Amino acid sequence: MSLLITGGTGFAMSVVAREWLEREPGARAVILDRAALDAAARAWFEPVRERLTVVEGDVREPAGWADELDRHEISAIVHGATVTPISRGSAEEEARVHPEALMPAKIVDVNLMGTVQLLEWARQRARVRRFVYVSSGSVYRHHGPDWSREPLPEDGYVAPLTLYGISKFAAEMVVNRYADLFGLSALSVRLSSIYGPMDRATESRNFRHVPHRVAQMALDGETIRPNSLAPVGDYLHSVDAAHAILALVDAQRPRYRHYNVASGVAVSIGDIIGWAAEKVPQLRYEVSHADHANVVQDPQLATGMWGAYDISRIERDTSWRPRAGREAFHDYMDWLAAGRL
């Protein structure tokens, strides 16, 4: 039994691949990615490397990988290969040209047409029993639910504004249509803000969510200078995200086409700094003007894609549950600290 993970040499998908191999001693994983294993990925996969195959190829160009994948008994697919052109978190980053403006056609081509090419391959392989598309909370609008601060459900608030979000939502719809046309068991997961092990700069992603930034600065002894302690986010540890995705790979009868994968809780920058201070009592922070801050978030963005996500669907259809935010964040800080010894 082999699981195919596209984008598996990067951040979150590398965690999915390793978690799959660690929990399934007799299974194999196949990664399809344009990028080879870098030093961090080689170290990450070292305990399970003998059961991992890496196929270097562009998901948009099946001539370069279709025959190789056919040599493996692929039974399920987690499609996470994507271009993530996000830059937010400091005054310097805010002043730059939006990264979408640097490669608009590539974003749409990789995120949408790359998905189409993989679906074309999958629909002709009867052995493939599940296709999980890794989407994003970027498909949601910036505000909602309108009537309260309740967690954001999967239905009713989809209104992407960026090329990234538009391409991810378009790919979700294509996945749904292929499922209907060809009898694929396919679904999409919408990730909230993911942080954790293997978060590093890669060719397709170079962005750090608040928990990563705070943890790194705390361990470095750097003064944390947020523009406000109030901004919130639904932050999920990458290992918890991997467990959720794999739970949906295994789900016997998933009842929905779209699932939020998140912590289900919005936590503030102030909360995260407080958790960091429990690990690093000498931590220093000072609220600063955005021009001088090293963590910049908009306090007005507190609902919609920026707030808590409703996770009741995945909780109904699987046994997966996220860890408490404080526990997961401390686990990440411990992992970072161990790597510095």
Side-chain angles (χ1 to χ4, degrees):
M1 181 178 182
S2 293
L3 177 67
L4 171 63
I5 307 104
T6 69
T9 69
F11 169 32
M13 295 303 100
S14 67
V15 181
V16 171
R18 178 164 160 176
E19 290 298 316
W20 164 261
L21 290 169
E22 287 189 337
R23 80 167 199 182
E24 301 283 350
R28 298 191 61 85
V30 179
I31 285 174
L32 171 62
D33 203 311
R34 286 187 61 188
L37 297 177
D38 60 14
R42 288 194 296 271
W44 176 252
F45 285 120
E46 195 278 331
V48 293
R49 188 65 180 87
E50 71 279 1
R51 291 185 289 121
L52 174 68
T53 300
V54 179
V55 178
E56 291 184 43
D58 189 322
V59 71
R60 298 169 293 176
E61 300 173 0
W65 48 260
D67 290 344
E68 177 62 26
L69 293 188
D70 284 337
R71 297 188 178 94
H72 305 274
E73 297 180 349
I74 305 296
S75 55
I77 298 170
V78 175
H79 177 37
T82 189
V83 175
T84 310
I86 301 174
S87 179
R88 184 167 59 89
S90 73
E92 180 185 2
E93 288 170 340
E94 290 292 326
R96 295 174 185 164
V97 174
H98 196 289
E100 284 196 334
L102 302 176
M103 49 179 175
K106 182 177 180 180
I107 293 164
V108 176
D109 197 21
V110 172
N111 295 352
L112 178 57
M113 295 312 300
T115 302
V116 171
Q117 294 294 351
L118 192 63
L119 285 164
E120 276 292 291
W121 181 85
R123 76 176 179 86
Q124 300 174 67
R125 274 70 184 176
R127 182 183 292 274
V128 175
R129 60 172 182 77
R130 179 66 44 78
F131 187 105
V132 175
Y133 175 64
V134 181
S135 188
S136 164
S138 293
V139 305
Y140 292 121
R141 67 192 227 190
H142 282 204
H143 300 286
D146 296 324
W147 58 89
S148 73
R149 289 295 181 96
E150 293 178 358
L152 184 71
E154 288 88 347
D155 294 331
Y157 299 94
V158 174
L161 297 177
T162 65
L163 285 176
Y164 176 68
I166 292 165
S167 64
K168 299 299 277 187
F169 182 57
E172 287 184 14
M173 296 299 99
V174 171
V175 169
N176 292 349
R177 188 57 181 155
Y178 266 71
D180 291 337
L181 288 172
F182 304 111
L184 288 173
S185 177
L187 56 91
S188 298
V189 295
R190 294 171 179 166
L191 303 183
S192 65
S193 299
I194 308 300
Y195 74 96
M198 293 302 288
D199 190 355
R200 66 205 193 282
T202 63
E203 180 183 351
S204 60
R205 180 183 185 274
N206 186 13
F207 174 72
R208 304 291 177 270
H209 286 297
V210 169
H212 174 101
R213 297 169 66 85
V214 169
Q216 293 280 7
M217 286 188 282
L219 292 172
D220 288 341
E222 182 179 351
T223 298
I224 303 169
R225 299 190 307 277
N227 65 311
S228 170
L229 297 177
V232 300
D234 187 326
Y235 300 108
L236 185 67
H237 193 289
S238 57
V239 171
D240 290 323
H243 290 169
I245 290 168
L246 293 175
L248 288 167
V249 168
D250 291 339
Q252 292 299 308
R253 292 182 179 85
R255 288 176 285 181
Y256 305 97
R257 289 285 175 84
H258 309 102
Y259 290 85
N260 286 336
V261 170
S263 73
V265 178
V267 297
S268 70
I269 291 177
D271 293 329
I272 296 167
I273 290 175
W275 295 341
E278 293 176 18
K279 288 287 187 180
V280 183
Q282 67 272 26
L283 180 150
R284 302 183 306 277
Y285 75 92
E286 56 187 40
V287 176
S288 304
H289 188 275
D291 290 343
H292 305 289
N294 54 20
V295 179
V296 176
Q297 300 274 74
D298 185 347
Q300 300 304 312
L301 298 177
T303 61
M305 65 181 286
W306 309 106
Y309 289 32
D310 187 338
I311 57 173
S312 57
R313 282 187 179 181
I314 190 171
E315 289 181 330
R316 282 194 293 268
D317 280 4
T318 76
S319 61
W320 176 82
R321 301 293 183 273
R323 287 176 291 174
R326 176 178 174 273
E327 175 191 351
F329 180 75
H330 281 174
D331 179 71
Y332 179 50
M333 288 196 72
D334 289 342
W335 183 83
L336 287 174
R340 297 173 179 219
L341 297 178

